[in-house]
Amino acid sequence: MADYTFIASRAPADRHVRGYLLVVSHMRSLSSVLCHILGSNAEVAGYSELHQAYRGRNSLRELERRVAAATDAPVSGRYVLDKVLHNNLEIDDGVLVRPDVRVLYLLRRPEKAIASMLDLSDATKGTPGDTDPELVVRYYCDRLDSLARYSLHTQGRSAFVESERLVAEPEAVLDGLADWLALSAPLSRAYRTFKFTGMLRHGDPTGAILSGRLEPELARRKPADTIAPIPDTAMARAVSAWTACRDALIERCRTL
């Protein structure tokens, strides 16, 4: 018998959304499983990557509309969620400083993150740029620079999770997240699957997300033998970017 239960009902449809939760990260950071865990809580609406920029209040209203479409349910609860992983989807400073916007930063070490990006691109027949280690490292470094820059504007309303700790100490991280968000029900390693779970462009398309539970194996999967090796000089740049970003997030955010 399963060792968990879900609260299936959402808050009443006319309940006002009190805030917005943006999970700001990079590709292959375990953001899909974390967002599914968050979205399985009755006080959080949303679970997937909606690929939209945030320019102001209208962008946040559009988020509510798109989350309703992605969940086939009215948006309700304390928070409506999106995850943002790419620099072409800019978040304006005016959004970052809003008191009703919280930002959760998720960061994974480059060795696993970059290998996983190359592995995913190979498995899904990505574009040539996606399979070039130098370009993937450039994406990773540029993205981490953006995370550090965003964190200048979100102090007091942001939290930071290291992907490795999410897997190694899930209960502690999830308890900390539930406390930070002031959720009335705890977050669980078990999660629901949704309309777009496992589909390309909405999150993790590898099939692992369909398990319905956060397990250590998610972070242990070995990259395919076919991916190109990562040059030492490129990896050194990635490690430097990770160090600088991690230091900035620890200084400016609540670390969970």
Side-chain angles (χ1 to χ4, degrees), residues 127-199:
T127 63
D130 295 328
T131 58
D132 183 331
E134 288 283 355
L135 293 182
V136 171
V137 168
R138 183 186 304 170
Y139 156 81
Y140 181 85
C141 294
D142 289 348
R143 186 62 185 154
L144 268 55
D145 285 347
S146 293
L147 266 60
R149 174 169 54 85
Y150 287 153
S151 70
L152 288 167
H153 304 284
T154 58
Q155 297 183 55
R157 291 168 294 99
S158 60
F160 166 47
V161 171
E162 295 189 77
S163 302
E164 293 77 15
R165 187 163 186 263
L166 174 63
V167 174
E169 303 177 73
E171 285 79 11
V173 171
L174 297 179
D175 286 349
L177 268 175
D179 178 69
W180 177 61
L181 294 170
L183 300 176
S184 58
L187 295 169
S188 170
R189 290 169 60 182
Y191 55 83
R192 298 169 54 199
T193 55
F194 299 87
K195 179 179 179 180
F196 295 118
T197 298
M199 296 181 63

Side-chain angles (χ1 to χ4, degrees), residues 204-238:
D204 183 3
T206 65
I209 192 69
L210 298 174
S211 71
R213 188 174 179 84
L214 170 61
E215 299 289 1
E217 287 73 17
L218 280 174
R220 292 176 184 164
R221 192 167 69 92
K222 295 181 179 179
D225 294 335
T226 55
I227 66 171
I230 305 166
D232 290 343
T233 54
M235 184 55 72
R237 294 197 305 273

Side-chain angles (χ1 to χ4, degrees), residues 6 21 29 34 73 79 89 92 99 117 121 127 135 143 163-164 176 190 203-204 230 237 250:
F6 291 119
L21 176 59
S29 62
L34 180 56
Y79 302 98
L89 303 172
D92 283 0
M117 281 184 253
S121 185
T127 63
L135 293 182
R143 186 62 185 154
S163 302
E164 293 77 15
D204 183 3
I230 305 166
R237 294 197 305 273
I250 289 174

